[in-house]
Amino acid sequence: MIKPYNTPKSEEKRILFEEKLLNMMEQCDYSKITVTKICEELNIPRKSFYCYFSTKDDVLYSLVMRYIGQIDYYNICSSIKEDSSILENLKSCLQYWKENNRFLTILERNNLLSYLIECATRYTIIEERKIPYISWKEPSSHSAKKVLFIVSGTMNLIFSWRKDGYLASVDEMAEVLNELLTIGSLKNN
């Protein structure tokens, strides 16, 4: 369980644990990292850890959700408005993940890319993100399946693009993704 944070200082401390975990995952397997090792690396008493998280898995979840949540902030900084075209939003999303290649590389090294998809799907459903191909008035299980399909397809396309060394441009990838998503939504009408 992730403990709620009420102050900027507690958020800073939470991010400190997240970043330490990320840095440690760059050096060794996630499965070999312990709460004790995280605290030792930070030179922080173990009991302090439990003020913010219950487990190491909670730190990972918080870290992944923070990266996912930053896409909205990235869009604002990139001048993407709520009423921007789907293509502009796709370009921004692709650029965000390209710029966060280190994060994707670390997750892949630790066999956690599917966990990123799971968290991105959960975030999209919880936040009822504006996905133009989904009507949120549909029964929730039906909407959730569409979200899973769209998010996992999009993320797998990003992972494939990354493995290819980002050879295609952001614009080209956004066009491909937009075409795939449009084809899927037209078949459902």
Side-chain angles (χ1 to χ4, degrees):
M1 180 170 110
I2 300 168
K3 313 286 171 66
Y5 55 91
N6 301 331
T7 66
K9 185 171 173 71
S10 60
E11 182 177 6
E12 287 173 20
K13 191 72 101 171
R14 183 181 55 84
I15 291 171
L16 184 69
F17 283 113
E18 292 171 6
E19 289 301 318
K20 180 48 70 182
L21 176 63
L22 184 64
N23 291 334
M24 291 175 77
M25 287 169 50
E26 201 166 23
Q27 304 303 317
C28 66
D29 291 339
Y30 175 74
S31 62
K32 295 194 167 62
I33 298 170
T34 64
V35 170
T36 301
K37 286 182 183 177
I38 294 169
C39 293
E40 285 173 358
E41 288 275 329
L42 289 171
N43 200 23
I44 293 175
R46 190 178 157 109
K47 67 180 179 181
S48 290
F49 174 90
Y50 295 107
C51 293
Y52 303 96
F53 302 101
S54 296
T55 66
K56 169 187 78 169
D57 292 341
D58 291 342
V59 181
L60 177 64
Y61 178 76
S62 182
L63 170 70
V64 170
M65 292 302 269
R66 181 167 54 88
Y67 269 84
I68 293 165
Q70 285 177 343
I71 292 174
D72 289 334
Y73 177 75
Y74 183 85
N75 286 343
I76 291 166
C77 292
S78 301
S79 302
I80 300 294
K81 299 175 180 74
E82 252 186 66
D83 62 347
S84 292
S85 73
I86 295 165
L87 196 55
E88 289 304 312
N89 278 293
L90 290 173
K91 287 177 188 178
S92 181
C93 177
L94 289 163
Q95 186 64 41
Y96 173 81
W97 287 114
K98 184 178 179 183
E99 290 177 13
N100 285 285
N101 183 58
R102 175 180 174 258
F103 179 70
L104 295 177
T105 301
I106 292 169
L107 290 183
E108 180 183 39
R109 182 188 179 285
N110 286 276
N111 297 312
L112 292 168
L113 290 177
S114 60
Y115 185 70
L116 174 60
I117 292 171
E118 178 186 328
C119 290
T121 303
R122 183 177 303 149
Y123 178 84
T124 304
I125 292 169
I126 290 169
E127 295 294 320
E128 292 189 2
R129 306 310 309 157
K130 293 180 180 140
I131 300 178
Y133 314 102
I134 297 175
S135 164
W136 291 102
K137 294 175 184 155
E138 298 170 5
S140 62
S141 66
H142 187 64
S143 296
K145 287 175 184 151
K146 281 187 174 183
V147 169
L148 176 61
F149 180 79
I150 290 169
V151 171
S152 63
T154 299
M155 293 307 295
N156 277 299
L157 189 69
I158 291 168
F159 301 156
S160 174
W161 180 44
R162 187 183 145 277
K163 277 196 181 289
D164 291 342
Y166 301 108
L167 292 177
S169 70
V170 168
D171 290 350
E172 291 168 328
M173 289 304 297
E175 288 287 348
V176 168
L177 189 52
N178 188 46
E179 184 179 330
L180 291 171
L181 293 172
T182 303
I183 290 169
S185 73
L186 290 176
K187 288 185 178 181
N188 289 329
N189 293 337

